[in-house]
Amino acid sequence: MAEYRCTVCNYVYSEKEEKKRFSELPDDWRCPVCNAPKSLFVKLTPEKGVKPVSNTVADVFIAQMIEWGVKYVFGIPGTSALGLVDALRKNKDIRYIQVRHEQTAAFMASAYAKLTGHIAACLTVAGPGATNLATGLYDAKLDRAPVLAITGQVERNRIGTGASQEIDQHAFFEPFSVFNMTLIFPDQTTNLVTSAIKHALLLGGVAHIDVPRDIQSLECKEKIKPFKDNIPNRSITTDEKHLKRAAKIINTSKKPVIIAGFGSLEAKEQVVRLAEKIDAPIVTTFRGKGVVDENHPLYMGSHGTIGSTAAAELVRDSDLLIVIGSSFSDLTQIPQKRMIQIDIDPMMIARRYPVESGIIGRSAIVIPKILKFVDKKERKDYRKKMSELKSRWLKLLEAEADPISTPIRPQYIISVLNRKLDDDAIITLDVGENGWWFGRNFQMKSTQRVLFSGYLGSMGFGLPAALVAQLEYPERQVACITGDGGFSMVMGDFLTAIKYDLPIKVFLFNNKNLAMIMQEQKVENYPIWQTELQDCDFAGFAENCGGIGVKVDDPRELEKVVDEALKFDKPVLVDIDTDPRRFLSAT
């Protein structure tokens, strides 16, 4: 019988104790501790239980990872990690995915955490393998995504001798890890693995274990530790006195605005219920897109550099901001206002400005409690203003989506994808113009998900994120929106999609430019220099890899090409000629 972890509060549903399979629970079943939906649970243990294949350090190490729910290890085999790689080969309860570059492995682990709330691992050799992980792991650190990084190391008696591929990996990982240890003795194995995963899940970040080559094959008699009862529950909330005070502030507000960040995704329904009860608009951060269907009458768009004019005006004129699960990125541009803030991290409360009410707790727990204390409101004039502002914004987006001009306008590409992608599609983004246009112009549904590199803002994230999304959700449509700059950084791993039969759909905005940097050069009065990119036959590349490649440069063909691409049950790359120049008037 299996166990399932609530990724919101760490409650463990045990099929053995409950005498009912998790799959038999109704779709509307919720976590009894934090009210999170069934969809936010992940499977921990295989139904038959977990036992090491043999009594070596490597086998016990991998078995302990499986017991705590690690399903995937991404990496490249190498000399100093061969014992761990062989333990993965022998164990059928965990999946090893070979990539072409370690950066991809780290990005995949980070994206998996953002998508599921659980942990995956990346495994590399000492030296260059370890250093190649850095960009993807920094992405995880800054976006607080739990990742387990495992590196091989030279033999223990050669550490510090200047051996081949030896670097000071402890020092290298220290700046971006929440846990960073070297496995020296066999009887440390289960303690280090469980401590690493515990740190990553509870603190949100990268846990690193260095495993010397010689110790991997030594005998280990450690018993596997269960997840249940070895990790604290995170059903944190504040007392009723503070909730009532926050509700009183909301009740006296005339023009409240709800700003929903990434931390509110666990409470989508409750956020909408709060907005409907107090008759207030919902504005999201970029990472909060998808909290609510964007066609909902109370949704006004994103705020900040990719935001809507409707969101900007309502936030500017508001008399109260109710900020839920936002880290106050400088790109979100939340202004100083009278404010209620809800966040799981006490360090986020009043991070930028003083707040009138700061509430610590999971949004899935806090919002239902606040709902009991707020008054129902009907704000007819406010609603009318919202409707007018949103209508004006949507008309602007429609006018921008010119279906005639060549090169094809990015706004039109987004418009087509908006109509064609499935209602439950997982969309992965790269950094650059492609992501900017998506954030500004794409009208997301609450059943869709978007993944991107947030605080680090790293190019090359889109393709690895698409790979892991398709691995985890083989039945869902996965679309990667990328540019020629970001894709070319990791394009070798299109072969990974081919190898593992992952039918991702890559829509490549090919403007032969680092277009966002070009725009910044213009704005800052620098000459346009070294942003032009050598063009590549990306469609031909996809074909040579064994996938499907399509080139489109005629806007009249775009809808047909997208329709056909989405029907294929294999990896597809659509190379779209587009324009690097922003805000050209519609013709």
Side-chain angles (χ1 to χ4, degrees):
M1 304 292 278
E3 293 180 337
Y4 292 79
R5 168 187 170 247
C6 174
T7 57
V8 175
C9 74
N10 287 328
Y11 166 76
V12 175
Y13 181 92
S14 169
E15 291 181 335
K16 183 178 180 180
E17 291 181 7
E18 300 293 338
K19 296 181 173 56
K20 188 170 187 177
R21 291 192 177 276
F22 190 76
S23 60
E24 295 172 354
L25 295 172
D27 290 341
D28 61 354
W29 180 88
R30 289 183 172 268
C31 175
V33 175
C34 73
N35 200 41
K38 183 182 176 183
S39 60
L40 294 184
F41 277 70
V42 293
K43 191 175 183 179
L44 286 175
T45 56
E47 294 187 13
K48 62 180 182 298
V50 178
K51 290 183 179 179
V53 176
S54 67
N55 290 325
T56 68
V57 167
D59 285 308
V60 172
F61 192 106
I62 298 303
Q64 185 64 73
M65 287 168 53
I66 296 168
E67 173 68 27
W68 280 42
V70 179
K71 292 171 60 177
Y72 301 108
V73 178
F74 313 108
I76 299 175
T79 304
S80 57
L82 291 181
L84 291 165
V85 171
D86 195 58
L88 289 165
R89 176 188 67 81
K90 292 183 290 184
N91 202 314
K92 305 306 179 187
D93 292 322
I94 193 166
R95 193 166 182 195
Y96 179 77
I97 303 296
Q98 178 212 72
V99 297
R100 293 303 182 103
H101 195 285
E102 292 90 348
Q103 176 176 290
T104 296
F107 273 144
M108 289 177 76
S110 179
Y112 176 82
K114 296 176 190 182
L115 180 62
T116 68
H118 200 54
I119 191 167
C122 46
L123 169 63
T124 73
V125 297
T131 58
N132 279 345
L133 291 176
T135 301
L137 295 183
Y138 259 106
D139 175 75
K141 169 189 167 62
L142 296 184
D143 284 352
R144 308 187 73 171
V147 168
L148 177 60
I150 309 162
T151 54
Q153 180 56 286
V154 300
E155 294 85 347
R156 288 169 295 172
N157 66 338
R158 297 173 67 208
I159 293 175
T161 66
S164 176
Q165 291 196 327
E166 183 208 353
I167 64 169
D168 185 350
Q169 285 174 190
H170 186 275
F172 179 78
F173 281 88
E174 189 68 13
F176 54 90
S177 298
V178 296
F179 181 91
N180 183 26
M181 294 291 170
T182 300
L183 180 57
I184 299 297
F185 301 105
D187 59 5
Q188 293 177 295
T189 304
T190 57
N191 272 339
L192 284 190
V193 174
T194 55
S195 291
I197 296 175
K198 194 173 184 178
H199 277 75
L201 290 177
L202 295 179
L203 299 179
V206 177
H208 168 243
I209 304 178
D210 214 18
V211 189
R213 180 181 180 182
D214 59 318
I215 200 173
Q216 296 171 30
S217 59
L218 295 184
E219 184 181 25
C220 179
K221 297 180 179 179
E222 294 248 280
K223 291 185 178 180
I224 301 301
K225 293 184 175 183
F227 183 92
K228 193 170 184 291
D229 301 326
N230 276 298
I231 197 163
N233 193 281
R234 298 188 69 186
S235 55
I236 303 166
T237 190
T238 195
D239 59 75
E240 196 169 278
K241 173 185 174 183
H242 291 289
L243 296 172
K244 286 181 176 179
R245 183 170 179 272
K248 185 176 180 180
I249 294 168
I250 294 171
N251 291 337
T252 58
S253 171
K254 304 297 183 185
K255 294 188 290 183
V257 173
I258 295 171
I259 298 182
F262 183 74
S264 67
L265 286 171
E266 66 192 43
K268 293 180 178 184
E269 295 173 15
Q270 293 95 330
V271 170
V272 174
R273 284 174 56 204
L274 176 62
E276 290 174 343
K277 187 170 183 180
I278 67 174
D279 213 8
I282 301 171
V283 169
T284 64
T285 65
F286 191 175
R287 289 189 74 197
K289 276 179 75 76
V291 168
V292 57
D293 280 2
E294 298 199 17
N295 62 5
H296 191 287
L298 289 175
Y299 182 74
M300 296 294 117
S302 294
H303 196 267
T305 56
I306 53 90
S308 73
T309 53
E313 184 166 338
L314 286 165
V315 168
R316 184 177 64 246
D317 293 344
S318 68
D319 63 357
L320 177 68
L321 299 180
I322 306 166
V323 184
I324 307 169
S326 170
S327 59
F328 284 72
S329 162
D330 55 322
L331 299 178
T332 305
Q333 299 177 339
I334 298 175
Q336 185 170 0
K337 290 267 185 178
R338 190 182 188 206
M339 191 177 297
I340 293 170
Q341 189 181 353
I342 301 168
D343 206 285
I344 187 64
D345 184 356
M347 296 303 294
M348 286 294 150
I349 301 295
R351 183 187 178 203
R352 302 285 188 198
Y353 317 113
V355 297
E356 194 158 336
S357 175
I359 299 175
I360 307 298
R362 310 288 322 195
S363 58
I365 301 172
V366 171
I367 299 174
K369 292 179 182 292
I370 288 182
L371 271 166
K372 294 188 295 185
F373 303 122
V374 294
D375 297 336
K376 177 144 183 80
K377 299 284 187 177
E378 187 176 356
R379 311 176 201 268
K380 292 183 180 179
D381 291 343
Y382 201 28
R383 277 270 191 155
K384 183 180 178 183
K385 182 178 181 180
M386 288 183 231
S387 178
E388 290 171 352
L389 289 172
K390 185 171 182 177
S391 176
R392 194 184 311 159
W393 171 248
L394 293 178
K395 285 178 181 177
L396 173 63
L397 297 186
E398 184 179 354
E400 289 177 356
D402 177 10
I404 299 173
S405 294
T406 55
I408 304 171
R409 295 280 171 82
Q411 300 98 314
Y412 180 58
I413 302 170
I414 294 296
S415 174
V416 170
L417 293 176
N418 191 69
R419 297 194 302 273
K420 302 295 184 181
L421 294 182
D422 286 350
D423 286 353
D424 67 344
I426 300 171
I427 304 155
T428 69
L429 304 180
D430 231 301
V431 168
E433 286 275 283
N434 50 91
W436 194 91
W437 287 115
F438 175 90
R440 182 179 182 274
N441 292 54
F442 193 88
Q443 303 296 299
M444 276 191 72
K445 299 175 178 64
S446 63
T447 46
Q448 295 172 328
R449 280 296 305 272
V450 61
L451 298 172
F452 59 91
S453 178
Y455 268 96
L456 187 63
S458 176
M459 295 169 67
F461 181 87
L463 177 64
L467 296 174
V468 78
Q470 197 74 85
L471 273 170
E472 181 64 4
Y473 295 103
E475 76 286 354
R476 291 174 70 173
Q477 186 184 81
V478 176
C480 170
I481 297 175
T482 186
D484 46 341
F487 181 76
S488 60
M489 288 186 172
V490 292
M491 60 194 290
D493 271 295
F494 190 77
L495 288 163
T496 303
I498 306 299
K499 177 171 182 173
Y500 293 101
D501 297 318
L502 302 174
I504 61 172
K505 309 299 183 290
V506 178
F507 297 98
L508 191 149
F509 286 40
N510 190 349
N511 52 31
K512 305 164 190 64
N513 248 282
L514 297 172
M516 183 168 283
I517 308 305
M518 182 188 75
Q519 294 293 339
E520 290 170 351
Q521 286 176 333
K522 284 184 179 179
V523 169
E524 297 185 31
N525 296 315
Y526 290 109
I528 306 304
W529 192 70
Q530 292 293 1
T531 54
E532 300 86 357
L533 296 175
Q534 174 64 41
D535 195 15
C536 171
D537 180 4
F538 290 106
F541 164 78
E543 293 281 342
N544 287 336
C545 288
I548 294 171
V550 185
K551 177 73 175 178
V552 56
D553 54 16
D554 186 341
R556 295 169 297 182
E557 297 177 356
L558 183 62
E559 288 205 35
K560 179 184 176 183
V561 168
V562 170
D563 279 333
E564 291 175 351
L566 294 174
K567 290 176 183 175
F568 287 112
D569 191 27
K570 62 188 300 185
V572 180
L573 187 150
V574 182
D575 183 359
I576 309 169
D577 266 351
T578 187
D579 200 313
R581 295 168 293 169
R582 282 192 188 176
F583 303 125
L584 298 174
S585 60
T587 57

